Amino acid sequence: MRDVAFTSLQAAKARPRQVSSARLGPSAPRHNAAWRAVTIRRYRLADRTAVRRICCDNGCLGAPIDPVVADREIFAAIFLDPYIDYRPDWAIVAEIDGEVVGYLVAAVDGGFAICQVREGFRVFMKLLLRLLRKRGNLPPQDRRFLRWLLTRSWRERPRRPKTPAHMHFSIEDGYRGRYIAQRLWREFERRCAEAGIRHYFGEVMTAEPDQVTQVYGRYGLSVFDRRRSTMLDGVEARPVWTLCFEK
């Protein structure tokens, strides 16, 4: 789905219970060459550059984030770095011929929220200081993003079930439609079952909420809340929504 900017899933701990991977819908035949070419493995520090690039390449409804934030370091620092810095042990990557083409990152305790707030504050101060030093001569998209971050981001977040864990995944353009997301998701559910995680929920930013709701509904997720997002105003002509799904 190209109109999905990013997907984040959250999970709630409970007594150990097997999470069936069949919930993710039909899988690709394992004799399929595309299936065999993909390796799902744990994240390594050497993957950091690749996963940050993929995050930024998909940040604007599945397209590059550059029209929204000129400085990619800022976007990656907010939406990805807290995961790979705080809980790299929950990060998974998809690899084809030695190249990372997708990732899934997660955090499974309440400490992640503190890490994310701290990183968000650091990025905000970096932008603000840059604005003051350059006497307002920031790229217009960075000025808009700074204003959105300060005044609207926290108001446009949908309500969420109260759980400590969080997951985010992204697949590089050109490698979608090869069951890579399903395999990352299936591995996440396997690890959730091992950790005694019973429920999870997620957020999706999209300009096609009805279509996305239907697609995720096939995998057993339902909408918990939705909010209109203005983060992409001026870049995307259609209304953009952030949907919170639960399962």
Side-chain angles (χ1 to χ4, degrees):
M1 292 176 293
R2 189 161 182 88
D3 285 309
V4 175
F6 60 86
T7 303
S8 57
L9 302 176
Q10 299 205 9
K13 275 198 170 185
R15 63 182 182 276
R17 185 177 69 87
Q18 184 66 35
V19 179
S20 172
S21 60
R23 295 180 181 181
L24 296 183
S27 60
R30 302 207 176 192
H31 62 269
N32 187 301
W35 176 283
R36 295 197 306 269
V38 181
T39 299
I40 304 297
R41 62 167 175 80
R42 290 180 178 271
Y43 166 85
R44 304 167 187 154
L45 183 59
D47 302 323
R48 184 181 181 89
T49 299
V51 298
R52 293 179 98 242
R53 175 183 54 77
I54 294 170
C55 176
C56 294
D57 282 348
N58 295 332
C60 182
L61 301 183
I65 195 61
D66 308 272
V68 182
V69 185
D71 188 342
R72 286 184 160 217
E73 288 293 318
I74 290 171
F75 187 78
I78 293 176
F79 291 103
L80 181 66
D81 288 1
Y83 300 96
I84 55 179
D85 290 342
Y86 182 69
R87 292 305 300 263
D89 54 316
W90 268 83
I92 312 163
V93 301
E95 185 180 70
I96 297 179
D97 295 331
E99 178 186 358
V100 174
V101 299
Y103 67 83
L104 181 151
V105 288
V108 292
D109 58 67
F112 171 81
I114 298 173
C115 178
Q116 193 173 41
V117 169
R118 184 171 61 241
E119 189 62 31
F121 179 75
R122 186 189 70 80
V123 168
F124 172 77
M125 292 305 299
K126 178 181 177 180
L127 272 174
L128 185 61
L129 289 173
R130 188 183 301 171
L131 179 66
L132 294 174
R133 287 183 188 136
K134 296 187 176 183
R135 298 185 179 183
N137 190 27
L138 274 182
Q141 60 265 54
D142 284 358
R143 293 171 63 90
R144 286 195 304 267
F145 185 74
L146 177 62
R147 186 164 52 249
W148 176 82
L149 199 64
L150 177 64
T151 65
R152 304 198 65 89
S153 60
W154 52 275
R155 290 189 290 172
E156 295 175 358
R157 192 186 75 177
R159 291 182 302 110
R160 303 168 174 173
K162 294 181 179 180
T163 63
H166 188 92
M167 184 268 272
H168 160 80
F169 67 83
S170 188
I171 309 299
E172 188 171 5
D173 190 18
Y175 293 92
R176 299 166 193 163
R178 301 191 187 188
Y179 298 92
I180 295 174
Q182 285 92 331
R183 291 181 65 182
L184 288 168
W185 196 349
R186 192 169 274 114
E187 175 63 15
F188 170 70
E189 286 203 333
R190 185 192 67 78
R191 296 188 66 185
C192 284
E194 289 182 351
I197 294 171
R198 182 177 169 185
H199 302 291
Y200 58 86
F201 68 94
E203 294 176 357
V204 179
M205 184 175 287
T206 179
E208 298 182 350
D210 294 337
Q211 178 183 348
V212 170
T213 298
Q214 182 179 15
V215 170
Y216 276 80
R218 296 172 190 159
Y219 300 135
L221 288 90
S222 58
V223 175
F224 181 80
D225 192 25
R226 57 187 274 173
R227 293 285 174 89
R228 171 79 168 87
S229 174
T230 60
M231 190 181 91
L232 304 184
D233 282 8
V235 175
E236 173 58 51
R238 298 168 295 175
V240 174
W241 296 83
T242 302
L243 308 180
C244 178
F245 289 95
E246 64 174 340
K247 181 176 182 181

